[in-house]
Amino acid sequence: MSAVVAQSLHVFGLRSHVANNIFYFDEQIIIFPSGNYCVKYNVDQKWQKFIPGSDRSQAMLALSISPNRRYLAISETVQEKPVITIYELSSIPCRKRRVLNNFDFQVQKFTSMAFSPDSKYLLAQTSPPESNLVYWLWEKQKVMAIIRTDTQNNPVYQVSFSPQDNTQVCVTGNGMFKLLRFTEGTLKQTNFQRGELQNYLAHTWVADDKIIVGTDTGKLFLFESGDQRWETSIMVKEPALGSKSLDVIQESESLIEFPPVSSPLPSYEQMVAASSHSQMSMPQVFAIAAYSKGFACSAGPGRVLLFEKMEEKDVYRESREIRLPVDPQSNDPSQSDKQDILCLCFSPSEETLVASTSKNQLYSITMSLTEISKGEAAHFEYLMYPLHSASITGLATCIRKPLIATCSLDRSVRIWNYETNTLELYKEYQEEAYSISLHPSGHFVVVGFADKLRLMNLLIDDIRSFKEYSVRGSRECSFSNGGHLFAAVNGNVIHIYTTTNLENILSLKGHTGKIRSVVWNADDSKLISGGTDGAVYEWNLSTGKRETECVLKSCSYHCVTISPDAKIIFAVGTDYTLKEIADSSILREIPAFDVIYTAIAISHSGRMMFVGTSVGTIRAMRYPLPLQKEFNEYQAHAGPVTKMLLTFDDQFLLTTAEDGCLFTWKVFDKDGRGIKREREVGFAEEVLVTKTDMEEKAQVMLELKTRVEELKMENEYQLRLKDMNYSEKIKELTDKFLQEMESLKTKNQVLRTEKEKQDVSHHEHIEELLDKQSRELQDLESCNNQKLLLEYEKYQELQLKSQRMQEEYEKQLRDNDETKSQALEELTEFYEAKLQEKTTLLEEAQEDVRQQLREFEETKKQIEEDEDREIQDIKTKYEKKLRDEKESNLRLKGETGIMRKKFSSLQKEIEERTNDIETLKGEQVKLQGVIKSLEKDIQGFKREIQERDETIQDKEKRIYDLKKKNQELGKFKFVLDYKIKELKKQIEPRENEIRVMKEQIQEMEAELEHFHKQNTQLELNITELWQKLRATDQEMRRERQKERDLEALVKRFKTDLHNCVAYIQEPRLLKEKVRGLFEKYVQRADMVEIAGLNTDLQQEYSRQREHLERNLATLKKKVVKEGELHRADYVRIMQAVQST
């Protein structure tokens, strides 16, 4: 075998047209078909495990899981033969339990299967023209029953068991609804179809004998024991707005006239085609699933209806509507939800509903969400991610990121992440995509569409085109390893473009047929191409000419690749070989062993090679290639492999096929280890974002920031309002608490006075109790002395009695011992003799029984031998002596009856003997019981003697203890008297000290209050004196200023007067000067001074008043604080006094 191993890691895809293609294994794990595998997918942890299909499998047709979730049945076609494989799901990994492939009846394929409720039986339906229903005991591969369900070549869509009964079976198909029961090795129909026949597409059991059935005309029927009990129709109405909505109409409990039967629809594709031509007034019910409240059914494209059972009768009403979501990435979002729902499945807890559609998609919904969305239709969500719904035509990967790019005939381009196994980007287009290539950086992608070749940016949330080329239907395109060039195929021409200026720099012409594959060498200096014309060319890109060529007209090449050293070209095509080409010649041709190779990939190390085949298998082989059949083959896909790639580090193999599935494989070398990277390169995390997107996001951020600021302002305003309200409340509470504190202080004073009173009364009560105790002690002493004397007298009397009794008992014991010993001897002798007689009788009876049994066995043997001889004679002479045989049989029956009577009589005798033995044993047991009772009497007498001795000893001990206690009590009384005297001596000086301390405390409190009053008075006097001092200082400064002003005025007046005296000889001038002096010094100056004085006085008065008010307020606060401090000191002093 090959040293190269590939292990499947993850698959992106679903095969929707497998019957019953999705179901739950447990609450977290679902199972669905993908490629040629069944996938176990954990919804929470996102891991996948694979159940491989059979080797050489051509198609997976149907699945079924057992009710106990232990077994999975897969129907396949292997080499044109039908096979049913049953896997055990509980084992890890899942192993094949049984393979059913040898059939005694004609069969082409099995289209539907079901397990019985106990998982022991398997029901399988074959396809037309046989249309057989087979009932298997699958563990023993035994066919229990087989019946032909249809004779008109109509398809059968579903078979099922009753959920509680192994023998009851339901079959539905085109014009067929049958209930069958397995009895006496055959399947018999138990119902009769009435009315016109319908095309029944799906059914489910809602009870032991109740079945819901859906048709292709949108009708739902409820059958109970084969009789119709309820019917409803799901119609599509076209309102004025043009949108189509489903409504449930026409409910009735009685039988109604059916519409005419549509033409036979043997497959899902034909059903869809017929429905597209007909009016869409009748949605087709492809799937029905039951749950505890009712059932869910598909109701046309993209719709699921939930029906709940009404309490009063067996009628169901529509309760919820669930739609498929509209996909915004679709090229026609309005039609993206118009998918036919083919399968529905509830989780075991009924918390989740899963659906699979005709476009290979998986959806799920939490049932609690359907209950929340009352009145409006709920919407499914993707279970994993959107999957390809058609053949994948292109596959590419890059170096700097763990990305995979795929394109498909479903007109979509998808970017996957093979590290996290998720879908990164996805977009649908108007045209089909035939080829794709990813730039080594992972930021760009080139896609060949039917109309154009587009170069596109991979943005953070979109795939956006930035350059288009008029290359129609490019079936192959590829970026160079360095990323500076890319090649695109246009028919039989290869165009080379640069990624810098995006221009076509070269066109390579030479192929006469369509080019199917191009590949770059390691340094991007050469390009290798292969096509349908049987030519493989090696192009030199510096000159644009062919360097080597190899043409083989008989072969149409599918794929070519080149070795890492660029010396050897590998090509695969339609001639069932793999070719090694070097220097324009074929070096070797390795046979493909009856399959066509469709894809090829070689590792960057040059040691591993992988090829894909036309039957969907992957072959892993080492290089250099072996001539023999030395490779590992994996049955992966359900269609021809279209593309195959290895990642740049040779860690993962990527494969795609026409089944629309993408597989990722982990590659291992011969030692079982993964291929190590030559250099560790961390994947890039950068993404492309356009400037407009950034500006829009910046604008949104600014708007959000302004909104945040506004909210902050509003919050601050609200906080201020709350602070004001709370401050007012705090003031009210503080006032309230101060009042309560005052009231509590008064209460405290009252309680203290009461406490003092209670202390005095308590002391008096203690003195009374002590007096009473002393009197009671004296009385007890006198009483105890008298009692002790009495007890001592009684003790002496009891001693004498006990001595007498002991003597008497000893005499009685001696007498009893003698009599009992004699009686025992006599009894033992008597019963031993009897026992010997009985044992001899028993032995004789046993010997008789054995003898009779031996005789019976001999007679039995003789009878058996006679019977055997007679039977042989009867067999040989059966035809001749029939009457003699009957007579001999009658005679033998009589003899056997006699022997049976003898045997019964012997058995009775044995039973009588056994009864006699049991009676003898009973008598023996009784005698032994008498002996044991006598022994018990002796032991009882001995026990009584011991108890009497123990009671005497206990009484002596009690007397001794009482004497001791009396002495201790006397000592204790003396000690207590002494202690009482000492305590009285200690209490009196303590009480005096307490009295003195209380008086001192009262005096200290009075002094404290007096000092407090003095302090307050002195503080007030000090403040008043300070105020007076400040006022006098200010007045003194003012007066001094006035004095200076007056002195200056006097000086000026003197000078002016001295100047006037100079005019004493001139009266007129003197008069004028005197008038001027008057105007200068009397009228203006005096008036101004008076006004100034008045304003100064008012200002000084107001200032003094404010100053005094402030002082008064501070003094009040100080008084309150000092009062609190004094109270606290007082309380602390009182506590200290009380503690002392």
Side-chain angles (χ1 to χ4, degrees):
M1 292 300 290
S2 172
V4 181
V5 180
Q7 179 184 349
S8 52
L9 284 184
H10 203 86
V11 62
F12 304 93
L14 169 72
R15 294 189 63 191
S16 59
H17 299 308
V18 175
N20 193 19
N21 58 19
I22 186 163
F23 38 78
Y24 273 89
F25 174 62
D26 58 27
E27 198 62 38
Q28 288 81 32
I29 297 173
I30 61 169
I31 297 177
F32 59 89
S34 184
N36 202 43
Y37 283 167
C38 277
V39 182
K40 290 174 72 175
Y41 176 68
N42 190 302
V43 179
D44 295 336
Q45 300 175 9
K46 310 297 182 188
W47 53 254
Q48 288 185 354
K49 291 181 180 177
F50 298 92
I51 303 168
S54 301
D55 294 338
R56 302 283 181 179
S57 174
Q58 294 167 328
M60 195 179 291
L61 302 171
L63 302 178
S64 180
I65 191 168
S66 63
N68 59 10
R69 313 283 175 185
R70 287 188 60 190
Y71 306 109
L72 172 68
I74 302 176
S75 168
E76 299 171 285
T77 303
V78 180
Q79 295 179 343
E80 305 298 332
K81 293 181 180 178
V83 173
I84 295 176
T85 309
I86 298 169
Y87 291 87
E88 190 169 351
L89 295 174
S90 56
S91 63
I92 300 172
C94 298
R95 64 182 181 88
K96 290 183 181 180
R97 184 69 180 263
R98 286 287 181 274
V99 178
L100 308 177
N101 54 9
N102 294 320
F103 309 112
D104 299 332
F105 47 88
Q106 290 293 322
V107 57
Q108 291 182 357
K109 56 185 178 180
F110 293 99
T111 57
S112 180
M113 299 182 296
F115 277 97
S116 62
D118 59 2
S119 306
K120 291 181 180 179
Y121 300 95
L122 181 69
L123 201 65
Q125 175 67 45
T126 68
S127 61
E130 296 85 10
S131 297
N132 288 323
L133 181 66
V134 188
Y135 190 95
W136 256 302
L137 179 63
W138 62 267
E139 279 278 8
K140 297 181 179 179
Q141 301 184 12
K142 182 181 178 183
V143 175
M144 306 296 290
I146 186 168
I147 187 172
R148 188 166 185 179
T149 54
D150 184 72
T151 57
Q152 300 176 357
N153 290 338
N154 289 328
V156 178
Y157 298 123
Q158 188 180 353
V159 297
S160 66
F161 276 97
S162 168
Q164 302 295 331
D165 189 357
N166 286 349
T167 62
Q168 196 165 0
V169 174
C170 179
V171 182
T172 53
N174 190 356
M176 185 191 314
F177 171 70
K178 292 184 178 180
L179 289 174
L180 307 170
R181 185 172 289 280
F182 176 72
T183 55
E184 298 177 356
T186 58
L187 285 166
K188 295 179 182 178
Q189 186 172 350
T190 59
N191 71 318
F192 299 97
Q193 298 183 13
R194 300 171 186 171
E196 293 190 19
L197 301 177
Q198 300 279 334
N199 187 8
Y200 300 105
L201 300 180
H203 71 265
T204 188
W205 296 78
V206 292
D208 294 347
D209 56 350
K210 295 178 183 176
I211 307 171
I212 295 288
V213 186
T215 71
D216 63 342
T217 57
K219 289 183 180 292
L220 292 171
F221 298 98
L222 173 64
F223 291 97
E224 184 176 358
S225 301
D227 298 326
Q228 184 182 327
R229 301 297 184 192
W230 173 78
E231 176 191 347
T232 185
S233 294
I234 304 166
M235 302 293 290
V236 178
K237 292 183 179 179
E238 295 187 3
L241 296 174
S243 62
K244 297 178 181 178
S245 62
L246 293 175
D247 293 319
V248 177
I249 62 164
Q250 196 180 345
E251 282 200 13
S252 67
E253 290 183 33
S254 62
L255 290 171
I256 63 165
E257 192 173 349
F258 292 151
V261 180
S262 60
S263 60
L265 304 174
S267 67
Y268 166 76
E269 289 80 2
Q270 291 178 8
M271 281 189 273
V272 172
S275 64
S276 64
H277 294 301
S278 64
Q279 293 182 355
M280 290 300 292
S281 60
M282 297 292 181
Q284 296 179 328
V285 181
F286 287 114
I288 308 176
Y291 70 116
S292 58
K293 294 182 181 178
F295 65 92
C297 70
S298 62
R303 313 274 309 262
V304 170
L305 294 179
L306 295 180
F307 286 83
E308 291 185 0
K309 187 177 180 182
M310 297 177 71
E311 294 179 359
E312 61 271 10
K313 48 190 174 180
D314 289 336
V315 177
Y316 291 84
R317 62 176 180 82
E318 182 193 347
S319 60
R320 300 284 184 277
E321 182 182 0
I322 310 171
R323 290 175 176 267
L324 293 183
V326 175
D327 193 347
Q329 299 297 330
S330 175
N331 58 357
D332 189 2
S334 63
Q335 295 297 316
S336 62
D337 59 338
K338 300 298 184 287
Q339 306 176 45
D340 287 311
I341 293 165
L342 303 183
C343 189
L344 294 170
C345 181
F346 285 97
S347 63
S349 64
E350 298 182 356
E351 290 182 1
T352 310
L353 173 64
V354 177
S356 66
T357 71
S358 57
K359 290 187 178 179
N360 296 359
Q361 306 300 325
L362 288 173
Y363 295 94
S364 70
I365 189 169
T366 305
M367 293 302 290
S368 57
L369 294 178
T370 62
E371 295 174 2
I372 292 167
S373 60
K374 286 190 176 178
E376 296 182 2
H379 285 84
F380 281 101
E381 294 178 349
Y382 282 109
L383 182 67
M384 297 181 287
Y385 25 69
L387 303 167
H388 280 298
S389 59
S391 173
I392 298 173
T393 55
L395 173 68
T397 185
C398 63
I399 296 172
R400 293 291 292 124
K401 292 185 177 182
L403 298 181
I404 308 168
T406 57
C407 64
S408 170
L409 296 180
D410 62 6
R411 302 177 181 181
S412 70
V413 173
R414 298 167 200 259
I415 308 298
W416 313 87
N417 189 316
Y418 62 80
E419 195 174 48
T420 59
N421 296 322
T422 55
L423 180 66
E424 296 275 331
L425 288 173
Y426 152 60
K427 196 168 185 180
E428 283 190 11
Y429 296 89
Q430 296 292 332
E431 301 293 332
E432 291 180 343
Y434 297 124
S435 61
I436 193 168
S437 183
L438 197 58
H439 192 269
S441 66
H443 293 310
F444 316 107
V445 67
V446 61
V447 185
F449 289 96
D451 58 345
K452 287 182 181 179
L453 179 75
R454 291 182 175 87
L455 192 62
M456 296 186 281
N457 283 324
L458 298 181
L459 304 180
I460 189 169
D461 55 357
D462 194 13
I463 304 172
R464 200 169 295 172
S465 174
F466 67 91
K467 179 66 177 176
E468 293 183 351
Y469 301 95
S470 57
V471 178
R472 298 172 63 84
S474 177
R475 295 282 176 174
E476 193 68 29
C477 61
S478 176
F479 275 102
S480 63
N481 294 313
H484 60 292
L485 301 172
F486 67 90
V489 173
N490 185 8
N492 56 2
V493 180
I494 303 170
H495 299 287
I496 308 295
Y497 300 88
T498 64
T499 56
T500 52
N501 55 12
L502 309 177
E503 291 180 356
N504 185 1
I505 61 169
L506 204 58
S507 293
L508 306 177
K509 298 177 181 178
H511 281 279
T512 58
K514 290 184 178 180
I515 299 167
R516 291 299 183 203
S517 179
V518 293
V519 64
W520 299 81
N521 68 344
D523 59 0
D524 297 333
S525 62
K526 295 177 184 178
L527 185 74
I528 294 88
S529 62
T532 57
D533 55 357
V536 175
Y537 294 145
E538 186 176 356
W539 306 87
N540 190 323
L541 298 181
S542 58
T543 61
K545 294 181 181 180
R546 290 188 298 230
E547 281 198 352
T548 63
E549 60 182 55
C550 180
V551 181
L552 186 66
K553 295 288 185 181
S554 63
C555 178
S556 174
Y557 289 109
H558 292 141
C559 185
V560 296
T561 188
I562 190 167
S563 61
D565 57 3
K567 291 180 181 179
I568 300 173
I569 299 167
F570 302 96
V572 293
T574 56
D575 61 349
Y576 298 92
T577 60
L578 187 156
K579 297 179 179 61
E580 292 186 37
I581 302 168
D583 298 328
S584 301
S585 62
I586 298 172
L587 296 180
R588 283 201 303 168
E589 288 189 6
I590 291 90
F593 302 101
D594 300 328
V595 293
I596 296 172
Y597 287 151
T598 57
I600 186 169
I602 190 167
S603 65
H604 296 83
S605 64
R607 292 178 294 171
M608 299 181 295
M609 185 173 286
F610 301 91
V611 289
T613 69
S614 58
V615 295
T617 58
I618 307 296
R619 291 181 177 179
M621 56 189 76
R622 67 174 183 270
Y623 188 80
L625 296 170
L627 290 171
Q628 292 80 18
K629 198 174 181 179
E630 292 184 10
F631 51 79
N632 290 322
E633 189 165 11
Y634 304 99
Q635 186 74 38
H637 293 279
V641 176
T642 54
K643 295 290 177 184
M644 181 180 287
L645 279 178
L646 277 159
T647 56
F648 77 98
D649 54 0
D650 290 343
Q651 291 280 317
F652 301 101
L653 173 69
L654 314 172
T655 60
T656 60
E658 290 182 7
D659 60 1
C661 296
L662 165 64
F663 273 84
T664 61
W665 307 77
K666 181 75 174 172
V667 179
F668 295 93
D669 64 4
K670 61 182 179 180
D671 298 325
R673 297 168 294 171
I675 306 301
K676 293 182 180 177
R677 296 184 185 183
E678 293 178 1
R679 58 188 180 88
E680 289 290 333
V681 180
F683 289 121
E685 295 182 357
E686 296 82 6
V687 291
L688 293 181
V689 182
T690 60
K691 189 178 179 181
T692 55
D693 290 342
M694 289 297 292
E695 287 173 353
E696 286 175 3
K697 285 180 180 176
Q699 186 64 33
V700 171
M701 285 173 71
L702 284 171
E703 290 174 1
L704 290 170
K705 281 181 181 176
T706 53
R707 179 64 181 153
V708 167
E709 292 294 329
E710 290 173 3
L711 288 169
K712 279 183 180 177
M713 294 289 288
E714 288 179 8
N715 287 330
E716 286 175 359
Y717 176 67
Q718 293 290 334
L719 284 169
R720 280 199 295 274
L721 287 174
K722 286 178 180 177
D723 287 337
M724 290 170 67
N725 292 328
Y726 287 140
S727 60
E728 289 175 0
K729 285 180 181 178
I730 287 164
K731 284 180 183 178
E732 292 175 0
L733 287 168
T734 49
D735 296 337
K736 186 180 175 182
F737 285 137
L738 287 169
Q739 291 174 3
E740 287 179 356
M741 283 169 71
E742 291 295 329
S743 64
L744 286 168
K745 283 175 184 175
T746 53
K747 282 181 182 178
N748 195 11
Q749 289 294 115
V750 171
L751 289 168
R752 277 179 186 167
T753 53
E754 287 179 359
K755 181 180 174 286
E756 289 173 356
K757 289 177 183 177
Q758 285 178 0
D759 287 339
V760 171
S761 63
H762 182 64
H763 285 302
E764 291 174 355
H765 185 62
I766 284 168
E767 288 175 355
E768 290 175 359
L769 286 170
L770 289 169
D771 293 335
K772 190 177 178 182
Q773 185 188 6
S774 62
R775 286 195 296 274
E776 285 177 354
L777 275 169
Q778 289 175 0
D779 296 336
L780 280 167
E781 280 180 0
S782 59
C783 290
N784 281 328
N785 290 327
Q786 290 175 0
K787 284 179 181 179
L788 278 169
L789 291 168
L790 292 168
E791 287 291 329
Y792 184 70
E793 289 173 356
K794 285 179 182 178
Y795 170 68
Q796 286 179 347
E797 290 174 359
L798 285 167
Q799 265 187 342
L800 293 168
K801 279 184 181 179
S802 66
Q803 285 175 0
R804 290 194 209 102
M805 286 172 73
Q806 195 169 358
E807 291 171 356
E808 289 173 0
Y809 281 131
E810 284 175 356
K811 288 177 183 178
Q812 285 178 3
L813 277 170
R814 288 190 205 102
D815 298 336
N816 286 327
D817 287 338
E818 289 174 357
T819 53
K820 279 174 186 175
S821 60
Q822 289 175 1
L824 274 169
E825 285 173 359
E826 291 171 358
L827 285 168
T828 50
E829 287 174 357
F830 177 72
Y831 284 118
E832 278 175 0
K834 268 194 174 184
L835 270 170
Q836 284 175 359
E837 290 175 3
K838 297 290 181 184
T839 49
T840 52
L841 288 169
L842 205 149
E843 285 173 358
E844 289 172 0
Q846 283 177 350
E847 283 177 3
D848 293 337
V849 167
R850 289 193 203 101
Q851 186 66 31
Q852 287 172 1
L853 282 169
R854 280 195 293 271
E855 289 175 359
F856 172 72
E857 284 174 357
E858 286 174 1
T859 52
K860 191 178 177 184
K861 282 179 185 177
Q862 289 173 3
I863 290 161
E864 285 175 353
E865 289 171 0
D866 295 338
E867 283 178 352
D868 290 337
R869 282 194 298 275
E870 287 173 2
I871 287 163
Q872 286 172 1
D873 295 336
I874 288 160
K875 280 180 182 178
T876 53
K877 299 172 184 179
Y878 178 69
E879 292 178 355
K880 295 177 181 178
K881 296 179 180 180
L882 186 62
R883 291 174 186 173
D884 297 336
E885 192 182 45
K886 285 180 180 177
E887 290 174 1
S888 64
N889 281 332
L890 290 168
R891 191 176 63 257
L892 285 168
K893 281 179 183 177
E895 289 176 359
T896 50
I898 293 160
M899 293 307 296
R900 278 175 187 163
K901 286 177 183 177
K902 285 181 179 179
F903 180 71
S904 61
S905 62
L906 285 169
Q907 278 185 337
K908 285 178 184 178
E909 286 178 5
I910 289 161
E911 285 174 0
E912 287 172 358
R913 293 293 171 89
T914 50
N915 290 328
D916 292 337
I917 290 160
E918 285 175 359
T919 51
L920 289 169
K921 284 182 180 177
E923 288 176 359
Q924 186 181 356
V925 169
K926 284 177 184 177
L927 291 168
Q928 286 176 353
V930 171
I931 293 161
K932 286 178 182 177
S933 63
L934 291 168
E935 287 175 353
K936 283 179 183 177
D937 291 338
I938 293 162
Q939 288 175 359
F941 286 129
K942 287 181 180 177
R943 223 177 283 119
E944 281 180 4
I945 293 161
Q946 286 176 357
E947 285 172 359
R948 292 283 175 89
D949 291 333
E950 284 171 2
T951 51
I952 292 160
Q953 288 174 1
D954 288 334
K955 284 184 178 179
E956 287 175 353
K957 282 180 183 177
R958 281 186 68 191
I959 291 161
Y960 181 74
D961 292 336
L962 286 168
K963 285 180 181 178
K964 268 192 174 181
K965 278 184 183 178
N966 196 6
Q967 290 173 0
E968 286 173 359
L969 285 167
K971 291 176 184 177
F972 190 60
K973 180 194 170 188
F974 180 77
V975 172
L976 284 172
D977 290 337
Y978 182 77
K979 280 187 178 179
I980 289 161
K981 288 174 185 176
E982 288 291 323
L983 286 168
K984 281 180 181 178
K985 288 177 184 178
Q986 288 175 5
I987 287 163
E988 287 174 359
R990 284 290 175 90
E991 286 178 349
N992 294 328
E993 285 176 5
I994 289 162
R995 209 174 292 113
V996 172
M997 291 292 283
K998 282 181 181 177
E999 289 172 358
Q1000 286 178 359
I1001 288 160
Q1002 288 173 358
E1003 289 172 1
M1004 287 168 75
E1005 283 178 354
E1007 285 178 4
L1008 276 168
E1009 287 176 0
H1010 179 65
F1011 285 136
H1012 181 60
K1013 288 176 182 177
Q1014 282 183 352
N1015 285 333
T1016 52
Q1017 190 63 38
L1018 288 168
E1019 284 173 357
L1020 289 168
N1021 292 333
I1022 288 161
T1023 51
E1024 287 174 2
L1025 289 169
W1026 273 107
Q1027 288 173 359
K1028 287 177 182 177
L1029 184 64
R1030 290 193 195 97
T1032 50
D1033 285 337
Q1034 289 174 356
E1035 286 176 2
M1036 188 173 70
R1037 290 192 199 97
R1038 205 178 293 114
E1039 291 296 327
R1040 283 177 182 171
Q1041 187 66 36
K1042 284 180 184 179
E1043 190 180 353
R1044 288 192 210 98
D1045 294 339
L1046 287 169
E1047 285 177 356
L1049 189 65
V1050 169
K1051 283 180 182 177
R1052 286 200 300 273
F1053 183 73
K1054 282 180 180 180
T1055 53
D1056 291 339
L1057 188 61
H1058 183 67
N1059 292 330
C1060 287
V1061 172
Y1063 298 103
I1064 194 133
Q1065 298 298 329
E1066 298 175 5
R1068 189 174 60 79
L1069 291 169
L1070 182 65
K1071 185 181 176 182
E1072 289 174 0
K1073 294 287 182 184
V1074 170
R1075 191 181 288 117
L1077 283 170
F1078 180 77
E1079 288 174 358
K1080 185 178 181 180
Y1081 291 105
V1082 175
Q1083 290 180 352
R1084 292 178 184 174
D1086 291 347
M1087 294 304 289
V1088 169
E1089 185 69 28
I1090 289 160
L1093 285 169
N1094 288 333
T1095 55
D1096 290 340
L1097 284 168
Q1098 286 176 358
Q1099 288 175 357
E1100 182 65 26
Y1101 174 73
S1102 62
R1103 192 169 56 75
Q1104 289 287 338
R1105 185 175 178 181
E1106 288 174 0
H1107 178 70
L1108 288 168
E1109 285 175 353
R1110 282 197 297 273
N1111 287 335
L1112 186 63
T1114 53
L1115 287 168
K1116 282 180 179 177
K1117 288 179 181 177
K1118 282 183 180 178
V1119 167
V1120 171
K1121 285 181 181 177
E1122 288 176 356
E1124 289 176 356
L1125 290 169
H1126 284 303
R1127 285 192 196 96
D1129 292 337
Y1130 175 70
V1131 169
R1132 191 170 63 254
I1133 289 162
M1134 287 299 293
Q1135 288 174 353
V1137 168
Q1138 287 174 2
S1139 63
T1140 53

